[in-house]
Amino acid sequence: MRIEAVDFFYLAMPEVTDEADGSQDALLVRVAAGGHTGWGECEAAPLPSIAAFVCPKSHGVCRPVGDSVLGKPLRDPADIGRMSAEVAYNSMDLLQAAHTWSGVETALWDLLGRARGEPVWKMLGYARSHPKTPYASVLFGDTPAETLARARDIRAKDFRAAKFGWGPIGRGTAAQDAEHFIAAREGLGADAILLVDTGQIFIDDVARAAERVPALEQARATWFEEPFAASALAAYGALAQRSRSVKLAGGEGAHNVDMAKHLIDYGGVGYIQIDCGRIGGIGPSKQVADYAIAKGVTFVNHTFTSHLALSASMQPYAGLEDHRICEFPALPKPLALELSQNHLRPDRNGEISAPDAPGLGIEVSPAGVRKYLQEVDIQVNGRTLFSTPKI
Ligand SMILES: [Mg+2]
């Protein structure tokens, strides 16, 4: 079969705020080939990502993503890999291309799996989908008392792992931050997994980040996520030398496989967190998972939006029994839940698994999509390059 159509749907909440919550809008991708349909999601700004698919070429290696996709053969996973290589080369000067391609690539895996009646993780070579321990991802409170209350609330909802992020951390003193770390541990209880995400706040200041390590170790945090800007590899490497029980985590900012490998090799992370809606899709994420195993690093999904994106993010490491921690969007905006008909719910052990169903195993809800749909038209000189398709 050949790729006949690639359609984009831009969804948004009625109001989008400044909070660091990526579920306030979404870009869904629908691909059609050989009478089959597949769905994927870009973890990206919707409008520039649509534009990167349809824009006029600027020159020979600044071409729209569509040039490397439309009309191409889709027989097996190797064809998806070939398209990945073509996009990387033909759009090397189009920086949004990786984000756009990520959603298309994911939709192609979904379509191929549905055509074959196989889950994506099986096409990736895994024999089974192992259960993962979902962690609830929340923001630190404005005060330690608020952080304590949020931690107790998470525990009351039966999560055995939680990640606290952003908020006031890094904006005051190390002693103030320590109170939040201790409050989070107290609220979660002694046996829960505590993860901390500081959202790049220390930029590349190793000394300031290192001041937080003793309190993180005292609170028995499993990881210290994104202390620095995504590419500050020297800072990551220096801090990794100064941490003992708490390991560094990062990788959500990786837009290609090499960026993730460099974070492992030069940044010294113990956990590599990959968002397949950014890195180029499921195939590149699986390459990182393979590399992580070879380097003794634990793979973790990164995802903060819908259950379509959640399922996609789990496929690359579904078969890795020992890589158990899994990001689970605990409190997404309504659009992220309503865009699919089914959801990945914890089983009686409180664990979730990538579905044992064709493709990604998630059914998109046309009514949910329509409810939040933003009508888009992109024109140049009166010629329409993109117009929101029918759903
Ligand atoms: Mg993060």
Side-chain angles (χ1 to χ4, degrees):
M1 54 191 168
R2 285 183 182 275
I3 299 170
E4 294 145 17
V6 177
D7 295 323
F8 293 87
F9 300 91
Y10 173 6
L11 278 55
M13 293 297 293
E15 188 196 3
V16 174
T17 72
D18 286 343
E19 64 180 326
D21 175 352
S23 68
Q24 301 185 80
D25 67 7
L27 182 60
L28 287 181
V29 186
R30 180 180 67 190
V31 296
H36 302 281
T37 300
W39 287 90
E41 186 176 339
C42 306
E43 173 51 26
L47 197 54
S49 302
I50 296 171
F53 196 85
V54 299
C55 62
K57 70 179 152 210
S58 295
H59 56 75
V61 287
C62 192
R63 290 161 60 183
V65 173
D67 276 14
S68 305
V69 177
L70 291 168
K72 301 289 177 180
L74 179 62
R75 295 156 299 203
D76 52 36
D79 283 331
I80 302 177
R82 266 188 286 279
M83 278 180 268
S84 284
E86 280 198 37
V87 170
Y89 191 82
N90 294 338
S91 303
M92 68 170 78
D93 286 347
L94 178 57
L95 293 186
Q96 196 63 24
H99 283 193
T100 301
W101 170 243
S102 294
V104 179
E105 199 265 13
T106 302
L108 292 171
W109 280 102
D110 186 43
L111 186 149
L112 205 52
R114 287 169 186 273
R116 293 178 170 194
E118 269 184 2
V120 171
W121 50 262
K122 200 167 267 184
M123 292 193 291
L124 291 170
Y126 293 129
R128 59 167 292 202
S129 167
H130 289 279
K132 309 290 182 195
T133 304
Y135 69 80
S137 206
V138 294
L139 303 178
F140 279 105
D142 289 337
T143 62
E146 267 182 48
T147 295
L148 176 67
R150 282 181 196 185
R152 284 188 174 141
D153 183 54
I154 286 169
R155 191 62 205 218
K157 288 183 172 128
D158 285 341
F159 281 100
R160 295 200 301 267
K163 183 169 87 183
F164 287 80
W166 303 75
I169 304 302
R171 300 182 186 278
T173 65
Q176 288 168 324
D177 290 354
E179 289 184 42
H180 281 276
F181 304 152
I182 300 304
R185 166 54 71 200
E186 187 187 331
L188 287 180
D191 56 335
I193 296 170
L194 169 63
L195 314 165
V196 170
D197 179 1
T198 58
Q200 306 190 6
I201 194 72
F202 303 110
I203 305 172
D204 62 353
D205 190 333
V206 177
R208 287 194 68 227
E211 283 175 5
R212 273 71 184 175
V213 169
L216 288 169
E217 298 199 322
Q218 193 194 333
R220 289 183 297 106
T222 298
W223 78 47
F224 182 0
E225 175 175 338
E226 284 213 309
F228 307 119
S231 300
L233 298 178
Y236 267 96
L239 185 63
Q241 298 286 328
R242 295 168 71 163
S243 315
R244 294 178 304 276
S245 64
V246 65
K247 301 268 187 250
L248 300 189
E252 67 184 86
H255 302 165
N256 56 55
V257 172
D258 286 315
M259 284 179 75
K261 286 182 174 177
H262 293 162
L263 203 50
I264 291 172
D265 289 340
Y266 309 117
V269 296
Y271 295 85
I272 187 79
Q273 304 166 286
I274 298 302
D275 197 314
C276 68
R278 290 179 181 163
I279 198 170
I282 289 171
S285 303
K286 172 65 162 53
Q287 288 179 48
V288 176
D290 292 343
Y291 194 74
I293 294 166
K295 296 286 179 167
V297 164
T298 302
F299 185 98
V300 190
N301 68 326
H302 176 272
T303 189
F304 209 78
T305 58
S306 72
H307 284 226
L308 181 69
L310 173 63
S311 174
S313 76
M314 294 179 72
Q315 306 292 330
Y317 78 127
L320 305 182
E321 188 171 7
D322 299 334
H323 301 228
R324 287 190 85 87
I325 298 178
C326 176
E327 180 157 38
F328 182 84
L331 286 169
K333 291 287 182 279
L335 84 77
L337 290 174
E338 291 176 36
L339 69 80
S340 68
Q341 296 174 35
N342 59 326
H343 301 93
L344 302 185
R345 300 291 181 207
D347 62 19
R348 71 171 77 89
N349 297 320
E351 297 179 312
I352 62 168
S353 304
D356 190 358
L360 298 175
I362 298 293
E363 303 305 321
V364 166
S365 161
V369 172
R370 275 187 223 111
K371 183 170 170 186
Y372 297 99
L373 190 61
Q374 310 294 300
E375 291 289 343
V376 178
D377 283 291
I378 302 177
Q379 291 190 1
V380 176
N381 290 335
R383 188 167 71 89
T384 297
L385 300 181
F386 177 86
S387 188
T388 294
K390 288 271 170 288
I391 174 149

